[in-house]
Amino acid sequence: MTSRDKLTTYRGKRHFGRTREPEGRQAPSGDAPCFVVQIHDASTLHFDFRLEVDGVLKSWSVPKGPSADPQDKRLAVPTEDHPLEYRDFEGVIAAGEYGAGTVIVWDEGSYRPLPGKKGPSRTFSEALERGHASFWLDGSKLHGGYALTRFRGGSGERESWLLVKEGDECAGRRGTPDARRARSVRSGRTLKRVSQEEAGEQGSG
Ligand code: MN
């Protein structure tokens, strides 16, 4: 599948005349693959964890967000592939639109796949398809090894995964900060600040 085809579900859910979210036209940069973690104050407040794989952002909704503590097993529910440009999206998705609510970029950086226990021959995307992949994050907030493991679903059933910190020198006891108080790694803004600023823009324009 090309990355354009992979975005059919993403595009089908959105009206690009009514949301500032990207349509997805950008080609991959060729640099180290990126990751981004956004906080999304939609019908339920959650974190969106996204990894660049084969030209799109593979995405999971993580209700509690990633933790630096290897004992925390964080539920991660797959969502549709997002375009690479989505890593830049911070703002408000209008009421009535899919995912309506405020988004901030909480963390971002690059990652590298870690060799799986079943040998290095498997590509990262094959590892994900088979339901287990580990990777090293170099972000501003998140550092070190993490693993994503599918524990339920496949073949039509809704999938559930776990996002877990690996036990390495970057592990710690600190969980995830309160999503309402957390600040954007891009702008330093909280969710509340972003929504207030966008409301102000609309009021004056
Ligand atoms: Mn979301």
Side-chain angles (χ1 to χ4, degrees):
M1 251 196 309
T2 66
S3 55
R4 284 195 61 79
D5 297 328
K6 287 177 186 162
L7 297 174
T8 305
T9 306
Y10 172 87
R11 293 201 183 96
K13 290 182 175 195
R14 291 169 174 80
H15 304 99
F16 294 104
R18 287 181 239 153
T19 177
R20 277 191 248 167
E21 294 166 287
E23 242 176 292
R25 305 275 170 218
Q26 187 178 298
S29 63
D31 296 337
C34 69
F35 80 93
V36 61
V37 183
Q38 283 151 318
I39 300 178
H40 185 184
D41 188 12
S43 51
T44 58
L45 180 62
H46 60 274
F47 290 69
D48 284 302
F49 186 83
R50 311 189 198 277
L51 294 171
E52 177 183 357
V53 181
D54 297 341
V56 295
L57 293 173
K58 289 278 168 199
S59 299
W60 290 260
S61 171
V62 183
K64 289 187 174 174
S67 170
D69 186 341
Q71 304 209 13
D72 289 338
K73 293 174 173 42
R74 292 295 165 79
L75 177 68
V77 178
T79 57
E80 74 276 17
D81 294 346
H82 279 51
L84 290 180
E85 301 99 296
Y86 211 89
R87 62 191 286 198
D88 299 321
F89 183 75
E90 182 164 280
V92 177
I93 301 168
E97 295 307 301
Y98 180 74
T102 306
V103 175
I104 60 171
V105 178
W106 179 66
D107 196 21
E108 62 183 346
S110 62
Y111 80 91
R112 60 185 164 84
L114 292 173
K117 292 182 180 80
K118 298 196 177 133
S121 59
R122 198 167 279 176
T123 67
F124 192 69
S125 105
E126 282 166 354
L128 282 175
E129 268 168 44
R130 285 167 184 258
H132 178 73
S134 42
F135 44 88
W136 187 274
L137 299 180
D138 284 308
S140 296
K141 294 167 180 165
L142 297 178
H143 308 279
Y146 281 79
L148 273 164
T149 307
R150 184 168 58 216
F151 69 95
R152 190 168 61 216
S155 63
E157 193 192 346
R158 185 139 167 107
E159 291 182 16
S160 301
W161 294 59
L162 292 175
L163 174 65
V164 183
K165 179 77 195 73
E166 305 212 310
D168 53 37
E169 69 271 23
C170 301
R173 278 292 148 79
R174 213 156 37 93
T176 306
D178 178 347
R180 297 234 173 255
R181 302 178 70 176
R183 290 174 183 275
S184 163
V185 69
R186 292 273 181 109
S187 64
R189 296 181 297 172
T190 58
L191 286 166
K192 188 176 175 186
R193 183 74 186 276
V194 169
S195 60
Q196 284 172 341
E197 287 185 5
E198 289 220 3
E201 271 175 41
Q202 278 164 10
S204 62

